[in-house]
Amino acid sequence: MAVLVPYYLMAYGPTNFLYFCDVALLFVLAAVWFEWPTLASMPALGILVPQVLWCIDFVGTAMGRPILGMTEYMFNPSISLFTRSLSLFHIWLPIFVVWLVWRLGYDRRALWRWTVLAWAIQLVCYFWMPLPPAPADNPNLPVNINYVYGLSNQAPQSWMPPVAYLAVVMLAMPALFYWPTHWLMSKYFPRVKQQ
């Protein structure tokens, strides 16, 4: 983190830290530092499924068969090897955060807390962050942060009104990612006593 945070700030700017994976990384650092179960439970709930999908896509892309296109940048030779290697946190983060929640316990309030945080971040990304594609004079500028404009960083989706797409994404993420993860963690992980 002592290397990644300053490097990402220099290379991509502060808006890069609006990506859910980077928010989760900062939460996990705080959870380790303070041993606070809520700070571990929230990112575990929010990024476990997307990070597993990232890992699957990474393996697929490495084998020449990209699945989702999320990890194409990891094989782009115009991006330095050092920069790409920093992004390998996507591989160890889900494993580490599951272990951390197992150790500290799962705070069941994480479901609504992460959902509200994610919705706030998505609204910020939609209303104040740039649409794809990145400008030619600043190719490292984060665009389409958290896929609020579609699944491509080359152009916004055009098959439905943009606000309708955002609403679908905001409802789909809790239903498809957060709720199933919450159910599993509530069932199999130690429970944190709520204060």
Side-chain angles (χ1 to χ4, degrees), residues 1 4-5 8 16 30 35 37 55 58 62 72 77 79 81 87 93 105 108 119 143 147 149 155 181 190:
M1 292 296 287
L4 184 141
V5 171
Y8 275 17
N16 192 74
E35 295 192 351
C55 291
F58 179 76
E72 289 175 351
I79 301 173
L81 185 59
S87 199
L93 182 61
R108 284 155 173 77
W119 284 347
V143 297
Y147 302 108
Y149 294 112
T181 306

Side-chain angles (χ1 to χ4, degrees), residues 1-159:
M1 292 296 287
V3 173
L4 184 141
V5 171
Y7 185 82
Y8 275 17
L9 277 170
M10 182 185 69
Y12 304 113
T15 60
N16 192 74
F17 292 98
L18 290 171
Y19 283 106
F20 291 142
C21 54
D22 292 328
V23 171
L25 194 59
L26 295 172
F27 267 69
V28 168
L29 175 64
V32 168
W33 193 273
F34 298 110
E35 295 192 351
W36 191 357
T38 304
L39 294 178
S41 300
M42 288 172 64
L45 176 87
I47 58 100
L48 190 58
V49 173
Q51 294 302 276
V52 168
L53 291 173
W54 190 97
C55 291
I56 291 168
D57 189 63
F58 179 76
V59 170
T61 305
M63 296 172 65
R65 300 203 182 270
I67 299 165
L68 300 170
M70 297 169 67
T71 60
E72 289 175 351
Y73 72 96
M74 291 295 289
F75 301 93
N76 182 346
S78 69
I79 301 173
S80 77
L81 185 59
F82 177 73
T83 302
R84 289 180 283 159
S85 68
L86 286 177
S87 199
L88 290 173
F89 79 85
H90 291 88
I91 295 171
W92 61 260
L93 182 61
I95 299 164
F96 183 73
V97 77
V98 166
W99 172 81
L100 191 60
V101 172
W102 183 258
R103 184 179 169 280
L104 298 176
Y106 178 64
D107 186 341
R108 284 155 173 77
R109 297 171 296 182
L111 177 62
W112 69 265
R113 288 181 175 185
W114 184 267
T115 300
V116 170
L117 176 64
W119 284 347
I121 291 170
Q122 287 171 311
L123 290 171
V124 166
C125 292
Y126 182 81
F127 288 109
W128 291 290
M129 296 299 110
L131 284 78
D137 63 337
N138 190 2
N140 289 336
L141 180 71
V143 297
N144 193 24
I145 300 171
N146 298 317
Y147 302 108
V148 295
Y149 294 112
L151 298 177
S152 170
N153 282 336
Q154 304 309 313
Q157 63 81 29
S158 58
W159 52 278

